[in-house]
Amino acid sequence: MKKFLALVLAAALLAGCSAPAEPKPTQEPTPTPETENKETEKKEVATSGKYVVVNTSGETITELYIYKTGSEEKGTNYADGGLADGESVTIEVQVDEAEAEGYAQTLEFVNESGKVENGFQTLHLEDVTINLLAEGADAYTAATPFQFGH
């Protein structure tokens, strides 16, 4: 009789375990002031950039421009009068918030030999140091003569 009772209890236990569970109602997390602020805050987009451009090309740079990619107007020549090897210039760029997201600029320079370098056309608004490299420089390992650092 004990074996029969144990068998019935085991069967009942197994039947109870294999019964489909009722789905629990999903409950939305209760918003806290912190999560509400995160949801309502607008994504901050940089509207300015500060670039310290260092001439490490081995030659004087005669022209240096940072301008909106696609623009025909280059603006200020930041090497006006010549930027000697080893010298640097700080360039600050400010744009309206409406055009800041996805804003891209072209970095272009001309050295005293007359070679034009404008291979970097996706410079974004950021604070960065940019080294202008000589064509044979050890650091000139990328597709462009620019080296970025912080």
Side-chain angles (χ1 to χ4, degrees), residues 32-43:
T32 64
E34 184 178 307
T35 58
E36 283 178 351
N37 287 341
K38 286 182 182 177
E39 291 171 5
T40 58
E41 281 180 16
K42 199 164 82 171
K43 180 182 168 189

Side-chain angles (χ1 to χ4, degrees), residues 28-100:
E28 294 293 321
T30 306
T32 64
E34 184 178 307
T35 58
E36 283 178 351
N37 287 341
K38 286 182 182 177
E39 291 171 5
T40 58
E41 281 180 16
K42 199 164 82 171
K43 180 182 168 189
E44 284 194 38
V45 176
T47 58
S48 65
K50 182 177 179 181
Y51 312 95
V52 177
V53 181
V54 183
N55 179 6
T56 59
S57 70
E59 303 186 47
T60 297
I61 301 298
T62 58
E63 296 179 43
L64 173 63
Y65 302 98
I66 292 181
Y67 58 93
K68 184 176 181 178
T69 299
S71 174
E72 292 184 25
E73 176 61 38
K74 295 180 183 180
T76 304
N77 177 3
Y78 294 100
D80 193 25
L83 183 65
D85 185 46
E87 290 184 341
S88 66
V89 62
T90 299
I91 303 169
E92 294 187 31
V93 176
Q94 182 78 34
V95 299
D96 293 332
E97 191 173 338
E99 69 175 328

